[in-house]
Amino acid sequence: SVVDIQDNVVEVLASHGNNHLGGDDFDQKIVDHLVQFLKDTHQVDITQSRKALALLTRVAEQAKMVLSDNPFVLIEEEYLYERDGVPVNLSLELSRHDYEAMIEDYLDETLEVVHIALNSANLTVSDIDEVLLVGGSTRTPLVSQRLEEEFRQQPRGEVDPDLCVATGAAIQAAMIAGEDVAASAVLVDITPYTYGTSALG
């Protein structure tokens, strides 16, 4: 979202996004990597086991979080799968560099969305005063790095990116429920996506 903030009035100038891209997609890249690793090292295809896939998804998300603060993560899961009565254990070290290579295309898509929003607001990168990171996936260092390269400024991440999302959702839910939400700022929002309709005069 591109917003203009003046005198406690927050006006959303443009908003765009990819509804089919999120943190789960980042996790899935690690899951796919682990599935292939198990095929190569143990000659097993665990995609046939819903339980094993659920475990992989959990450890993939945890690995992603660790890689936000560390250059490597050791992914281990004992008795992940059983083949012919023999347990299959997972043990693999994943580097942040390899993980970032996995999600590079997703970051390209994200930056494309950013430019669409800027174009909708009739603005360019040089018009933006600050970049605020919102959402858990922005903890990935490469996200900040790519944005810094694009905007030539350090994105602001001092506010908990997960808390931003949760707080916004809670305030919106309270407003829909008719609660009296005390706010120090006025939000002037827009319809973020086209309804797919047009008016002919």
Side-chain angles (χ1 to χ4, degrees), residues 38 42 44 77-83 86-90:
L38 289 167
H42 296 284
V44 294
E77 189 68 38
E78 292 188 1
Y79 221 120
L80 176 69
Y81 191 70
E82 184 177 296
R83 184 186 60 182
V86 179
V88 174
N89 303 318
L90 171 65

Side-chain angles (χ1 to χ4, degrees), residues 112-128:
E112 183 179 340
V113 165
V114 169
H115 284 288
I116 290 172
L118 286 172
N119 289 336
S120 297
N122 295 316
L123 297 172
T124 65
V125 165
S126 60
D127 295 317
I128 301 301

Side-chain angles (χ1 to χ4, degrees), residues 6 26 116 166 175 179:
Q6 294 186 32
F26 286 43
I116 290 172
M175 291 172 63
E179 297 287 335

Side-chain angles (χ1 to χ4, degrees), residues 167 169-183:
T167 302
I171 291 173
Q172 186 66 23
M175 291 172 63
I176 292 172
E179 297 287 335
D180 182 19
V181 180

